[in-house]
Structure formats: C-alpha cells, structure tokens
Amino acid sequence: MAGSVFLLLLAGTLLCGLLFHTVSHNEAGDRTRTRRPNFIIILADDIGWGDLGANQQAGQSSSQTPHLDLMAQQGMRLTDFHSPASTCSPSRAALLTGRHGLRNGVTHNFAVGSVGGLPLSETTLAEILHQGGYYTAMIGKWHLGHNGPYSPTNRGFDYYLGIPYSNDMGCTDLPGYDLPSCPPCYPGPQILHNSCYTKVALPLFENRTIVEQPLDLWRLTQRYTSTALNVIHTARERGQPFLLYVALAHMHVPLSPPSYVPHPSEGGVYAASLREMDGLVGAIKNASDASDKENTLIWFTGDNGPWEQKCQYAGSVGPFLGKWQTSRGGGSAKRTTWEGGHRVPTVSYWPGRVPANSTSSALLSGLDIFPTLLSLAGVNPPSDRRYDGIDATDVLLHGKETGNEFLFHPNSGAAGKYGDLQTVRLGRHKAFYITGAAEACGGSKGRQELHDPPMIFDLSGDKGEETPLDPTTEEYKEVDERVRRWREALLYDIATDQSVSTADYATDQSAAPCCDPRHTACRCLTLASACCEEARLWVILLEVSTGD
C-alpha cells in the first residue's frame, strides 16, 4: 500500500514538473518586452558533438566551424544538450511538439511512400506561434509526412522550401558522396544495393508544389541560404515577429560540398561539408545581426549523432565513444542511446540577452525548445495535453544551471521496440535497460542485450561509457532505486494520458511525391529538355572524373 501511495505521489510530482511552471518575476519581465522576440532554430542532421570546433580540446585538429565558434563565443555553448531521439522523424516531432514519441505517436522514420505523418491531433510550435501573431517559415528537411494535411504549410508554417524527408531518399542526377555510393537518375533507375532509392527522384518543394525533381544537391545550400536571408529581410519589412526553422541537409549523406575534390583523403569530403554548413549558419547569423540582432534568438542544435556506419562520411562524437558497446562490436552513435547518439553540439545566441562567452552544463534536450520559445513569446500552449520539456529561460538568459533532473532516451531503431524509454539519465548517472544492435563502420553489430537490473554509468568520470558501476555498491543501489521510480512514474503518466496520439505508418506507392509519373523517376522535364539536361550532366560527370 505504501509503495502504491508513493508511486501516485511521485507521478503527481512528475506531472507538475512536466507542466509549464509558474513564470517568475524575472521571466515575466522577459516576456513583457515591448516587442516579442524572433526565433531562428537551426537543426543540423547527423552531426557529432565533436564536429563543433568550440567543443574540441586544445591541440585537436583545426576547427571547420569558425562561424559557429564565433556564435558560441558571443553566446552560450550548451555542453550537455541532447536530441529527443537518435533518429530523424522522432527527434523532429518531439522538438515541434514538446512531447515524447510515446505521446505524439512518432517513434520511427516515415518513408517515401508514407500515407500519413505527425498525427493531426498534435499541435506544433509553428501552429501556436502562428496563432499568436508570428510569421512562420521553414527551410529544409521536414520528414513528418508529405501528403495533404501532413505537409509543413498545413502544420503551422506560412512558407516552406525544402525536401520532404532525408536527402538520401531519392536519386539525383549528380549524386553526392555516400557509402556505398548510389547511381544517378540517368540513364535510368539502376539498383546497385538495397539502401539506394532509385524509383523516385529526390524532390524539392516550395509550399505544396514540387519545383524541382530531381533537385540539384550541389546547389541546395546556396538556395537554402538565399531563401533564409529573404525570410529574415521580409520579416523585418513587415515588422512582424517571426519563427524561422532551418532543418539542414548537412551532415546527412550524401554529402555534396562545392569544394570537393575527385579523390579526397579520409575526412576531406566531410570537412568540406562541415565548412559549407558553417558558412550557411554564418550567413544567417550575419543577416539576423544586420536586421534585428537584439531581438532575435538563434538556437543551433542537431537531430541526432553521427551515422557511424558511413565511416569517413560520418562526424565525430568527441569523447562520448560508448566504449562498453564498441568493445563488444556494434555502433554507439546514431540510432542508439549511447551519448554519441543523442548528445549534440548546441549553441544559443541572442546579443544582450544570452550572456556572451558563456558555457552551461545544464541537462537540456530538444524537448525544451518548445516550452522555452513559447514562454519567451508570451504564448500559452494548449492545456488539453501533457508535455515532456521544461522552460529553459533561466538557463539561457540568467545563467542558472536548473536543467532537467532526468531525461529519458527512446529506442530509435537499434535495440528494443521503437520509442520505448529504456535508457534514463539522472544527474550524472545514466542507466541502460537495453543495448546493442546498431551497425558500426565496417558492418559489425553488437548483439542486443537486456539489462535487468540496469547497467549504470557515472558520466562525470566516464564520458566514454566504458565501465559500469558495480551493482553491489551503495551508489549503484541508490541510483537504481531512483531511476526505477522515475521511470515507472513517467510510464504511468503516459499510460494515463488521454492526449496520446497514434501515427499512421502505412505506405502506398502512389503516396510518393511525383512531379510527372510519365517520366523516369518522376522527372519534372519535357522530353526535349530532358535530352539537353542529360547532355549537360554527362559533361559535368566527365569533368569530375578527369579532375578539370
């Protein structure tokens, strides 16, 4: 009986913590400024914690991210920030809803032929800000459903330019660097291996219309940059607060840096892509500074860690190596709940508001972006649902270290059932109930292992997650008890949540984005222009192969 009462009390405490807390006097002052702030969220794809130059130790290789390093110097570097999941769709859904995948329904990735997307019962950050008077625009990868009501312009965004899913989910005429490599759309679809998408070319959408299929990967960054600058300038002319969500193709394969060389040395292509990404971020920052820097918060982060099975085309996890796993075979980055899978480089920048040249080790997550931006905008979220993020205003603006007391990392495609919360972070400790089953560079996979009682690490002295605590020690027993009770309380809270959504993961070939089904790979070209385009591409391919 006493245990049941404790669990109910703990669940009540947890629920209070999940709901947005009462705004303090300082926060009220932040929210009642004369003008509401602008928000720019920049979400990198498959980026490693160690890819950010500012995160590197002295004496390491030279930084490839000077613009981001400057932004960190002029703002705040968040060193213990985590993506809400370790793969694309679930991470993005959690960021935009402030809810775990077990609540919002998105527990794994949507496909090219997905019929559905982020459940329509979910309300996005863009929808709430739009209703609150914000102009909302999105550039880049959506990956939350591309058909009908699931597209970005039906989920709160006034404007959209981008790819409906990952940039490897369709063929292009001049493919970027990938491992293994994939064929071009010309001279026609060819299936070299199972991971290549050859039937449908990669589309570029503007609002609800396909404007290019296949798109040109090598010019995509330039197009994204010019569009982002236009959004910022247009919003300034309107005098309307804005949300700009930029979901980059970088650093997801295929990589397509303009400064590539025909036969790069190891890391050459990745480094060039990192520099290209950094240049895009720098252009956005400069435009924002020139427009309204004292009233614009820029938040740079990542959707998950590096895709290590891509070897030289994958990023660096820094010191978060997941050694316990790698010593037994298998990966410890993307799709896993090891630190390399979800601890991502994060920088917050807001001149005059976010303290310059500051570093925070507060335990934060992409789930916290939703409540924090709404708090700063003075806009309330829907009250008919439960949330999983916290308002991090005090961390960003007032230098406090009041982050999450705990974080739950969902299974994201490696071991276990999609979305299950089987890894728990509590302070400096981290508990695993399941490990393994992710592919490493070279193809090895560690076997799936269940841990009951959980395997617990002390990250304060073991960032590499190499040596778990001895289960016979008092430290282990105390942490195990707290982890178990917090986990039980959250799972009970989700089980009794009447606002839980269910995503439709059904697929249909007719649901794939197709500009013109009469043409190979749905190409948006007449026969005459297709012939001209083919000739142009053969010239480009010849130049690349000869190094001219």
Side-chain angles (χ1 to χ4, degrees), residues 21-269:
H21 55 71
T22 303
V23 180
S24 67
H25 292 298
N26 284 337
E27 291 168 331
D30 294 330
R31 300 198 325 179
T32 56
R33 288 163 57 85
T34 304
R35 294 185 300 146
R36 287 184 293 173
N38 307 311
F39 304 119
I40 301 176
I41 303 171
I42 305 176
L43 186 70
D45 200 342
D46 288 5
I47 192 167
W49 191 91
D51 287 341
L52 179 65
N55 281 344
Q56 296 175 359
Q57 298 294 322
Q60 286 185 285
S61 59
S62 59
S63 173
Q64 306 296 332
T65 59
H67 294 289
L68 273 166
D69 297 345
L70 177 62
M71 196 160 84
Q73 184 180 355
Q74 296 174 339
M76 177 180 289
R77 186 167 57 99
L78 298 163
T79 59
D80 204 355
F81 192 96
H82 301 261
S83 59
S86 298
T87 193
C88 308
S89 296
S91 185
R92 293 155 200 273
L95 185 155
L96 289 173
T97 64
R99 287 154 57 87
H100 278 302
L102 289 183
R103 294 191 202 271
N104 66 41
V106 181
T107 58
H108 54 289
N109 289 340
F110 292 104
V112 172
S114 284
V115 173
L118 175 66
L120 302 180
S121 53
E122 293 296 311
T123 303
T124 69
L125 174 66
E127 288 176 283
I128 300 170
L129 289 177
H130 177 80
Q131 293 167 3
Y134 273 69
Y135 175 73
T136 56
M138 180 186 171
I139 299 169
K141 173 179 172 179
W142 175 237
H143 216 167
L144 292 174
H146 48 270
N147 283 296
Y150 298 100
S151 61
T153 53
N154 286 315
R155 305 312 299 266
F157 289 101
D158 293 303
Y159 176 81
Y160 173 64
L161 177 76
I163 308 173
Y165 30 67
S166 296
N167 56 324
D168 66 340
M169 295 172 66
C171 65
T172 58
D173 286 332
L174 190 58
Y177 289 92
D178 197 353
L179 187 68
S181 60
C182 288
C185 292
Y186 267 112
Q190 308 166 40
I191 299 177
L192 297 188
H193 55 83
N194 292 334
S195 63
C196 287
Y197 291 79
T198 58
K199 292 184 178 180
V200 179
L202 192 64
L204 180 69
F205 275 79
E206 184 168 31
N207 296 322
R208 302 175 194 178
T209 303
I210 297 176
V211 294
E212 194 177 336
Q213 190 174 18
L215 61 80
D216 186 346
L217 283 173
W218 304 87
R219 298 176 183 171
L220 187 61
T221 299
Q222 181 181 358
R223 191 158 190 171
Y224 280 0
T225 302
S226 61
T227 303
L229 302 192
N230 184 59
V231 168
I232 293 170
H233 294 319
T234 301
R236 180 185 181 185
E237 292 175 359
R238 290 185 179 194
Q240 183 181 9
F242 70 87
L243 164 69
L244 173 58
Y245 172 40
V246 184
L248 304 173
H250 304 85
M251 299 297 297
H252 199 293
V253 292
L255 304 176
S256 51
S259 56
Y260 77 104
V261 292
H263 303 288
S265 59
E266 184 172 320
V269 168

Side-chain angles (χ1 to χ4, degrees), residues 484-526:
R484 182 180 63 80
R485 294 192 177 189
W486 277 115
R487 182 167 177 260
E488 287 178 356
L490 178 59
L491 293 178
Y492 177 82
D493 184 74
I494 294 174
T496 58
D497 185 353
Q498 298 300 309
S499 66
V500 167
S501 299
T502 301
D504 181 1
Y505 277 99
T507 60
D508 189 293
Q509 186 175 349
S510 64
C514 189
C515 181
D516 191 338
R518 298 172 302 173
H519 296 151
T520 300
C522 295
R523 183 175 297 276
C524 287
L525 289 173
T526 64

